[in-house]
Amino acid sequence: LPENATMGCGFIPSSILQDLLGGGQFAKETIGLRVRVVCPTLGIYKGNLVQRAGITKIQLPGSMRKVSESMAKKKAFEGVFLLINEAYPSSSNKMMERCINPNSRKAPTKSSTADLKELGE
C-alpha cells in the first residue's frame, strides 16, 4: 500500500474485521484494531488497521513494517499470524466519550470523570 498520509495505519475490509471479532455487537461497534502482523515472506508489521469499505484484502503500508522478510525463503512458513492487541473504540474511549459528549446517552462513571479531571490538571 503506498503511503498516503497514513503513517502506521493500514486498512482492513469490513467483512474480515467482522469475521475476526465474531460478528456480534462488539464486532459491529469496532472501527479499528491495533495489531502485529507476522509473515515470514513479507516481514513483521506493527500499527493500526482501520475498517474500510470497498476493499477485499488487508492493506499494509510500508510505515507499518518493522522487520524485513525472512532470508530463508525456501523454508519460510507461508502463513500469516495476526495478533490483535486492542480494538477501537476501547472501553476507555467509550467512557471518555461519555465525559466529553453532551449528547451522550449514558452518563459517565465517577471514576472516568475523575480520570478526565486528572488529565486536565
Side-chain angles (χ1 to χ4, degrees), residues 49-105:
L49 294 177
V50 178
Q51 180 177 325
R52 185 178 213 178
I55 60 173
T56 58
K57 296 180 180 180
I58 293 175
Q59 298 177 344
L60 301 170
S63 61
M64 285 181 65
R65 189 159 104 175
K66 305 305 174 194
V67 178
S68 297
E69 68 275 1
S70 172
M71 301 294 277
K73 293 189 188 259
K74 290 184 180 179
K75 296 181 182 179
F77 174 76
E78 293 183 14
V80 176
F81 294 99
L82 176 68
L83 308 170
I84 300 173
N85 291 27
E86 189 170 7
Y88 299 107
S90 67
S91 57
S92 297
N93 296 146
K94 290 176 185 177
M95 199 55 64
M96 199 61 69
E97 187 265 341
R98 288 185 190 183
C99 292
I100 61 176
N101 182 354
N103 300 317
S104 179
R105 292 180 283 168

Side-chain angles (χ1 to χ4, degrees), residues 4 9 11-12 15 21 26 29-30 33 45 48 52 59 71 81 93 109 112 114:
N4 200 13
C9 181
F11 299 101
I12 185 168
S15 59
L21 299 178
F26 176 74
E29 293 175 356
T30 299
L33 304 171
Y45 292 75
N48 295 305
R52 185 178 213 178
Q59 298 177 344
M71 301 294 277
F81 294 99
N93 296 146
T109 63
S112 64

